[in-house]
Amino acid sequence: MKGALWLLALFLIAVAVTLAARYNSGYVLVVAQPYRIELSLNLLAALLLVIFFIAYFVVRLAVVTFRLPAEVSGFRLRRRREKARMMMLDGLRAFFEGRYAKAEKASAAVLELKEPPAVSALNAMVAARSAHELRKYSRRDELIAMAKTSAPKEITLLLMTQAELLLDEHRPEEALKILHSLPHTGAGKHTAALRLELRAQQRSKNWDAVLDLLGQLDQRNAVDKTVMRQLRLQARMESLKSRMLNPQALKEYWQNISSADKKDSKLAAAAARAHAAMGDCVTAHQIIEESLNAQWDSELAGLYAKCLGSDAISQIEHAEAWLESHPNDACLLLALGKLCVYCELWGKAQSYLEASLSVDPDYPAHLALAQLNEKLGRLELARDHYSKGLELALWRLDALEQE
C-alpha cells in the first residue's frame, strides 16, 4: 500500500513539473564579461538538479571511501567473534561430552582470537579443566596463569577453578592457600567456596576447621540435615582421636561438647576408646554409662569391659542393672562375663559367657570361654572353644573378602 502511494505521488509531481515547464516562459541572463549567456528558466532548473545529484553522489562516494577501512575492520571483527562463539560452543559441548582432548584444543584456540577478558577467562578454564582430566598438569597451570594475566577481574572464577583442580589432584594444602586468598563479599565467602574449603580441610585432617565450616554451612542451610549430622559426628570423632596423646586437651575438648552430642553412642564410643587408650578407665566408664542410660547401644555396651580398673565391681552392678532391661543382648552378656573373669567370679563369668554364646555364637565369646577354661585347667574345653572361635573368625574374614 505504501509503495502504491509513493508511485502515485511521483506521477503527480511529474505532471506538475511538466505543466509548470510548459507554461513557464521565463529566462535567465548570465553576464560574465565579455560573455553574455541567456538560458531558459526550465533549462537552468534541469541543470541545477543534475549538478545537485552529481554532487550528492560524489560526496556519498567520498564518505563510503573514507569509511571503508572501518567497515572492513568491523566485518572482520564480527567474523572473528562469530568464529570464536562457534569454537567456544564446540569446546563446551566436547567438555560435557567427556571428549577432553577436543575440548582443550577448541577452547585454547579461542584464546588466540583475543576475545574480551571475561570470554577468554571462561575458555581458559574449560581448557584448563580438560587438560586436568587428561593429566596434563603443567599445561593446566600454564592456562590458569595465562588467564590470571589476561583477565585479572575474573579472579574468583580463576581461583575457585584452580583450588578445585588442586584438591582433585590430592593437594589440599595448596588448595586451602588459594581458597584463603579469595576476595570476600559482604557476607564472607560464598557457599560453593565454603563447600570446597570443607573438602580441603577434611583431606588435610583439620577437624576443628571442619567443625567451624560446618557451622557456617548450617547457618546457610546449605547441607542436608542428615549429612550435616554425619559430617559433624565424624569431625568430632576424629578430633577426639587427634587428642589421644594429650590428656588435658582431650579432657577439655570432651567437656566443651554439648550434652546432646555426648549422648550419641558413636561419639561416646570414640571418647571412651580415647580415654581408655590413655589409661583413664574411670572417665571412659562414666562416658559409656551416661550414654547408655540415655540411649541403648549394644556395641557401646560391649566396650564396657575394654578398660578394667579398680571399679570393676561397680561396673558389674551397672551392667547387671542394664541386663534387666536388655536380657538378650549378646554384647552386654559378653562384657559381664569378662568383668566377672577379671574379678575371678568364675561361675558367673561362665554363665554370662555361655549366655552370650547362645544368643550370638561369635568368636569373641568362644575366645573368652577358651581363656576362662584355660585358667580353670579345663584344657580340652579350652581347645574346643579356641578351634570354634578360629573357625568363626576365618568364616567372617572370608565373608568380608567376598563383599
Side-chain angles (χ1 to χ4, degrees), residues 56-128:
Y56 174 78
F57 282 113
V58 169
V59 171
R60 286 288 299 168
L61 181 61
V63 169
V64 169
T65 302
F66 282 118
R67 291 177 58 184
L68 187 60
E71 291 287 342
V72 171
S73 177
F75 174 75
R76 289 177 177 174
L77 179 62
R78 288 191 297 273
R79 284 280 304 274
R80 191 181 70 207
R81 287 186 174 174
E82 181 64 22
K83 181 181 178 182
R85 189 180 73 86
M86 294 303 298
M87 292 176 69
M88 182 171 72
L89 290 175
D90 287 343
L92 287 169
R93 186 182 298 110
F95 177 79
F96 287 114
E97 288 176 353
R99 296 184 291 165
Y100 300 116
K102 182 178 179 180
E104 183 200 353
K105 183 178 179 181
S107 299
V110 180
L111 299 178
E112 300 175 2
L113 299 178
K114 306 298 181 184
E115 286 297 288
V119 177
S120 296
L122 287 171
N123 281 282
M125 292 306 96
V126 173

Side-chain angles (χ1 to χ4, degrees), residues 186-200:
K189 293 180 183 177
H190 58 283
T191 302
L194 289 176
R195 285 199 183 109
L196 196 57
E197 186 177 351
L198 175 64
R199 288 171 51 199

